[in-house]
Amino acid sequence: MTGVLFAGLCTLDVLQFVERYPADNEKVTALTQTVAAGGPATNAAATAAHLGGTATLLTAVGSHPLAAGIHADLAARGVHLIDLAAGDPGPPPVSSIVVSAGTGNRAVVSTNGATRTLTVPDLPALVRGQRAVQVDGHYPELAVAVLTEARRQGIPTLLDAGSWKPALPALLPLLDVVVCSADFRPPSAHDPAAVAGFLAGHGVRWIAVSQGPGPLLRWTGNGFATHPVPPADVVDTLGAGDVLHGALTLATARRRPLTDTTFATSLDEAAAIATRSCTSFGTRTWMSDVDRHGAT
């Protein structure tokens, strides 16, 4: 089994699937609902485990009763959870998510857990044997520590760059792969080429930009190569980026050493899996048995 390590945010996601968004002061009845652990690193870890990897998640959950739902979901998905805030009695971050049946779009209200104090474990032993490490930029001190140790051990490092965070400059020199969303905008970088140049200037070797249903843009050093995203009947886009990153991290781990060719192949594989995740409601429904071990 291929070991992959994820470090970052974990939330409790409460998802409601509605015919249409409610207006102000209006109550609507959901068509269906689901509850699952969420957050970029968490959904990526669940994806990697589903695809046959041995996924370990470093995060903060705590001892509040709401944490039981997180523990149950991750246990069911085969994710090894290491709770770095196990003694914290406060509630975990909760995301309230409403998904429109008509468009697949969603509205999200959430907290990010930034105030939590984490106890960093013995990283050399934990990182040893992993084939790739991904962080999501939450809990920056943890991310720096994990990436530094992975670099020391020669393990590929990846970042899920969903949005710009002030702490990211400290992470970038420690990263091999950065895949960022179209919303990721470092200071003074206002288009994908400028974003790629910014990341490359900080030492990142393999870079791509995701564009939702549009093609992935893979930076070649002189411009972009495009990777089309497979078409799909979209039901819900929630977590698709997290799925992309989880599948990419596992594919990277399985195709070491990391090269331009293996990065390109891994991007295509991850894009196909992320697209499949958009064809059903929620972040877990797509994980049917027929998909298990789908990565190569």
Side-chain angles (χ1 to χ4, degrees), residues 2-8 41 44 54 56 58 123-124 126-136 142-160 174-178 245-246 248-250 252-254 256 258:
T2 305
V4 281
L5 177 66
F6 299 85
T54 301
T56 299
L58 294 177
L123 287 176
L126 186 59
V127 172
R128 190 176 302 118
Q130 304 293 342
R131 299 287 292 172
V133 168
Q134 183 206 301
V135 301
D136 63 11
L142 172 65
V144 168
V146 168
L147 294 175
T148 299
E149 182 58 32
R151 270 290 174 90
R152 190 185 71 81
Q153 296 191 28
I155 298 168
T157 55
L158 300 89
L159 171 68
D160 174 351
L174 301 170
L175 288 159
D176 298 308
V177 177
V178 173
H245 289 280
L248 177 64
T249 298
L250 182 60
T252 298
R254 285 173 165 167
R256 288 176 59 182
L258 187 56

Side-chain angles (χ1 to χ4, degrees), residues 9-285:
L9 182 66
C10 185
T11 65
L12 182 67
D13 287 356
V14 181
L15 295 86
Q16 308 280 357
F17 194 53
V18 299
E19 191 67 42
R20 59 174 179 81
Y21 291 142
D24 289 347
N25 299 313
E26 180 186 13
K27 179 180 179 180
V28 299
T29 299
L31 301 174
T32 187
Q33 70 171 10
T34 187
V35 178
T42 300
N43 285 331
T47 297
H50 169 70
L51 296 173
T54 301
T56 299
L57 174 64
L58 294 177
T59 189
V61 177
S63 58
H64 189 276
L66 286 176
I70 292 173
H71 283 276
D73 179 55
L74 294 180
R77 303 301 159 189
V79 174
H80 175 45
L81 170 64
I82 299 179
D83 184 5
L84 305 181
D88 188 337
V94 176
S95 291
S96 301
I97 303 156
V98 180
V99 179
S100 169
T103 65
N105 294 328
R106 76 272 188 187
V108 181
V109 179
S110 65
T111 54
N112 63 15
T115 60
R116 292 206 144 183
T117 300
L118 278 62
T119 302
V120 179
D122 178 12
L123 287 176
L126 186 59
V127 172
R128 190 176 302 118
Q130 304 293 342
R131 299 287 292 172
V133 168
Q134 183 206 301
V135 301
D136 63 11
H138 294 274
Y139 307 121
E141 291 184 3
L142 172 65
V144 168
V146 168
L147 294 175
T148 299
E149 182 58 32
R151 270 290 174 90
R152 190 185 71 81
Q153 296 191 28
I155 298 168
T157 55
L158 300 89
L159 171 68
D160 174 351
S163 61
W164 175 256
K165 299 176 180 64
L168 288 184
L171 306 185
L172 295 180
L174 301 170
L175 288 159
D176 298 308
V177 177
V178 173
V179 177
C180 50
S181 74
D183 296 327
F184 181 81
R185 287 288 183 268
S188 303
H190 303 299
D191 60 68
V195 170
F198 176 89
L199 295 173
H202 282 76
V204 181
R205 174 65 181 82
W206 290 279
I207 300 163
V209 180
S210 64
Q211 305 183 103
L216 287 161
L217 304 177
R218 177 175 56 85
W219 183 245
T220 65
N222 299 309
F224 287 107
T226 59
H227 292 251
V229 172
D233 294 325
V234 173
V235 174
D236 180 9
T237 60
L238 180 70
D242 306 340
V243 171
L244 174 76
H245 289 280
L248 177 64
T249 298
L250 182 60
T252 298
R254 285 173 165 167
R255 290 192 173 93
R256 288 176 59 182
L258 187 56
T259 67
D260 291 347
T261 299
T262 60
F263 179 51
T265 302
S266 297
L267 271 180
D268 286 334
E269 179 180 291
I273 294 168
T275 297
R276 189 160 69 244
S277 76
C278 296
T279 60
S280 56
F281 170 60
T283 56
R284 301 290 186 259
T285 308

